[in-house]
Amino acid sequence: MNARKPYIRPMAGWWRRNPFFIEYMVHEGTAFFVLAYALELLAGLICLTQGEAAWNSYRAFVASGPMLIINLVIFAAMLYHGYTWFKIMPRTLPPMKVGGQKVAAATITTAGLAAAAGASVLVFAVLWFIARGM
């Protein structure tokens, strides 16, 4: 019989011991809001396939006061999720080198945020032109 007691690493609250993991878990928690918005859009798509009355009911529901507040919270959570995603990106990517020099983490984060902002402006511009009938 072995009298040695095996070491069992305590797992309770492991993510609260390091600020990086706290931020990471908050980031992962905001993914719930991304899922909620995806489900809201899916419900709208289903209503769109069921006819004009269902679509108008969906639009009225989404334009109601409580849903506007919920969508505002979802929008804020998605902005935070996107920001933290680009902030975490340099730590999750393999080391990047350009011209033999390692690319700084801040450069990767800034480039990602600039690309996301540029893509958002492009999407809004296309939607604006479509809405104006051009």
Side-chain angles (χ1 to χ4, degrees):
M1 177 157 201
N2 191 352
R4 291 180 55 189
K5 188 176 177 182
Y7 172 74
I8 299 174
R9 185 176 179 179
M11 295 299 293
W14 61 269
W15 56 275
R16 285 181 267 163
R17 296 185 198 127
N18 185 333
F20 172 75
F21 291 124
I22 291 173
E23 183 178 347
Y24 185 79
M25 293 303 282
V26 171
H27 166 81
E28 293 301 313
T30 57
F32 169 77
F33 294 98
V34 175
L35 172 67
Y37 190 65
L39 292 175
E40 181 183 330
L41 291 179
L42 180 63
L45 187 62
I46 291 170
C47 288
L48 188 60
T49 63
Q50 294 180 347
E52 186 176 347
W55 173 246
N56 287 334
S57 296
Y58 171 78
R59 288 184 62 202
F61 175 70
V62 172
S64 67
M67 282 305 294
L68 289 176
I69 292 170
I70 289 171
N71 281 330
L72 189 62
V73 171
I74 288 173
F75 181 69
M78 289 181 74
L79 284 176
Y80 180 79
H81 185 84
Y83 170 72
T84 56
W85 191 83
F86 286 113
K87 192 174 173 187
I88 292 170
M89 191 167 60
R91 295 181 184 184
T92 58
L93 285 176
M96 292 180 61
K97 291 185 178 181
V98 175
Q101 299 288 323
K102 184 178 178 184
V103 177
T107 303
I108 295 171
T109 299
T110 303
L113 289 170
S120 297
V121 167
L122 181 64
V123 167
F124 282 122
V126 168
L127 291 176
W128 187 71
F129 282 117
I130 289 173
R132 292 187 61 178
M134 296 179 150

